[in-house]
Amino acid sequence: DAEGLLRIKEENQKHYRRAQRHQEKKEKIQRHNRKLGDLVEKKTYDLKTQYEHLANLRRTHILELTTVIFPIEEVKTSMRDPADVSSESDNAMTSSTVSKLAEARRTTYLSGRWVCDDHNGDTSISITGPWITLPNNGDYSAYYNWVEEKKTTQGPDTEHNNPAYTISAALCYATQLVNTLSLILDVNLPKKLCNRQFCGENLSRHRFTRAVKKLNANILHLCFSQHVNLDLLHPLHTLRNLMYLVSPDTENLGR
């Protein structure tokens, strides 16, 4: 029993010395972790600072791009409210008729159904200049209607002021701007759309609407990535959504 007790005491001493070495290693590892924590905190702060600097650079480039090359702005039209015109021509018109005319003015027949559009007839959105605009309500039927009519009509095309040309040009510029913004913001777009999609050959109704949907999806994706207020966005308002995206009031632009 005495020999066994002596052997146990020797083993306990070995374990005690090993425990001391482990304690020293533990303290060394804790000191190393604290150093790494301080380093990570410093690197995180530096990274955050670099992100802010990069965001400011992106924001500056975007605002310069949309000021010099692709200015987007709201263009007021000179159309008068039909309710006002009708009420002036007929003093006996009832208030219910006036309200019905105002309600009819705020609706648009789009893709086989009536949709409400409070901005219909009031404004349009221009890109690169006031002469290149898109309908505010997202109704681009004038383009493919013109294409279908051109197929049945023979002869040279002399309508240089046709709204189909304006729609095609505006969508072409919008596609170029979106692709450029994706490079500046380093955001991958969900839909692939080349810059020349809307220029060149006349697109059929199916190809045109498909390309417009791709463009609208890319614009909304960029708006989501930059935390644009969702209450301002509409899936059919191509240039209006783009205008909200590149607006100087967008706080997170460049993130």
Side-chain angles (χ1 to χ4, degrees), residues 11-187:
E11 291 179 357
N12 287 341
Q13 289 178 356
K14 291 180 180 179
H15 291 318
Y16 178 73
R17 290 192 295 270
R18 184 179 299 174
Q20 285 184 328
R21 292 195 299 269
H22 288 169
Q23 182 65 24
E24 293 174 357
K25 289 182 178 179
K26 177 184 175 182
E27 294 176 356
K28 184 178 180 180
I29 291 173
Q30 288 177 345
R31 290 194 299 269
H32 182 67
N33 288 340
R34 284 194 294 269
K35 290 182 180 179
L36 287 180
D38 295 339
L39 181 62
V40 169
E41 185 177 356
K42 182 179 181 300
K43 292 293 185 182
T44 302
Y45 177 78
D46 293 341
L47 181 62
K48 183 179 179 181
T49 304
Q50 291 296 327
Y51 275 147
E52 293 176 354
H53 179 64
L54 180 60
N56 291 331
L57 285 178
R58 288 171 173 170
R59 186 184 184 90
T60 302
H61 289 324
I62 290 174
L63 294 180
E64 183 178 2
L65 177 68
T66 55
T67 301
V68 179
I69 303 178
F70 295 102
I72 302 176
E73 56 186 5
E74 196 170 9
V75 179
K76 297 289 184 179
T77 60
S78 59
M79 293 180 62
R80 300 184 63 188
D81 196 315
D84 297 337
V85 178
S86 300
S87 61
E88 291 176 0
S89 61
D90 186 4
N91 295 328
M93 180 176 292
T94 61
S95 60
S96 61
T97 306
V98 174
S99 62
K100 289 180 180 179
L101 284 172
E103 181 181 359
R105 178 176 170 270
R106 291 192 296 269
T107 56
T108 303
Y109 190 73
L110 181 60
S111 300
R113 62 189 180 92
W114 291 97
V115 296
C116 180
D117 182 15
D118 292 337
H119 300 284
N120 184 26
D122 290 337
T123 61
S124 59
I125 309 298
S126 67
I127 184 170
T128 69
W131 53 89
I132 300 180
T133 61
L134 282 182
N136 184 66
N137 58 1
D139 182 11
Y140 308 143
S141 58
Y143 177 85
Y144 45 77
N145 288 339
W146 170 76
V147 172
E148 294 174 356
E149 182 181 355
K150 187 177 179 181
K151 290 180 180 179
T152 59
T153 304
Q154 301 295 331
D157 185 12
T158 58
E159 296 184 57
H160 298 292
N161 295 326
N162 194 301
Y165 293 140
T166 303
I167 292 175
S168 177
L171 292 174
C172 183
Y173 287 136
T175 304
Q176 295 180 35
L177 177 57
V178 168
N179 290 335
T180 306
L181 290 177
S182 69
L183 295 176
I184 296 176
L185 296 173
D186 195 22
V187 176

